[in-house]
Amino acid sequence: QVQLVESGGGSVQAGGSLTLSCTTSGNIYSSHCVAWFRQAPGKRSEGVAFIYTSSGTTYSADSVKGRFTISQDNAKNTVYLQMNSLKPEDTAMYYCAVVRAYWTCPIKAYDYGYWGQGTQVTVS
């Protein structure tokens, strides 16, 4: 059983930065994908960034490319989402999620079996 705890959300002005953290209870740093999804009220869930933990290979959605960076710290069992140049449209609840995977990360939320409780990001 993998448990995920997100932190680092908050309120920030447009153009500002936030760093989200996702700390995991189990060892997922081999053959797993960790993803950050977000969901705004009335909108579909969107996968924004993905990391394949065995290799550190990352993928970001076009909507955040160049602004958001996903990274991992194996020693701390933590995956980060560094968010720069934030825009009001980035306002959403952000969730980290984990799935066992081989070589590539799925991009759909329904493929992920473990989820954190979410952390709110508000950009004004």
Side-chain angles (χ1 to χ4, degrees):
Q1 186 78 7
V2 177
Q3 293 183 324
L4 312 175
V5 178
E6 300 106 330
S7 61
S11 297
V12 65
Q13 291 187 333
S17 298
L18 284 173
T19 301
L20 306 184
S21 300
C22 174
T23 301
T24 65
S25 63
N27 182 359
I28 62 165
Y29 294 98
S30 175
S31 299
H32 284 81
C33 285
V34 181
W36 286 97
F37 287 86
R38 66 184 180 186
Q39 188 161 23
K43 294 188 176 181
R44 289 185 175 181
S45 175
E46 177 189 18
V48 296
F50 307 81
I51 187 165
Y52 179 60
T53 59
S54 293
S55 64
T57 301
T58 64
Y59 169 78
S60 299
D62 288 343
S63 58
V64 304
K65 199 161 291 182
R67 301 188 298 122
F68 290 13
T69 302
I70 188 170
S71 62
Q72 63 186 60
D73 184 333
N74 294 358
K76 296 183 178 180
N77 286 348
T78 300
V79 169
Y80 301 97
L81 184 67
Q82 175 68 44
M83 305 185 294
N84 298 326
S85 302
L86 283 161
K87 304 175 181 180
E89 51 263 44
D90 294 319
T91 295
M93 185 72 80
Y94 283 71
Y95 300 88
C96 67
V98 169
V99 65
R100 178 172 283 275
Y102 298 95
W103 303 114
T104 61
C105 290
I107 62 172
K108 298 296 186 183
Y110 55 67
D111 286 318
Y112 287 77
Y114 299 100
W115 291 81
Q117 81 287 356
T119 186
Q120 177 69 37
V121 171
T122 302
V123 185
S124 59

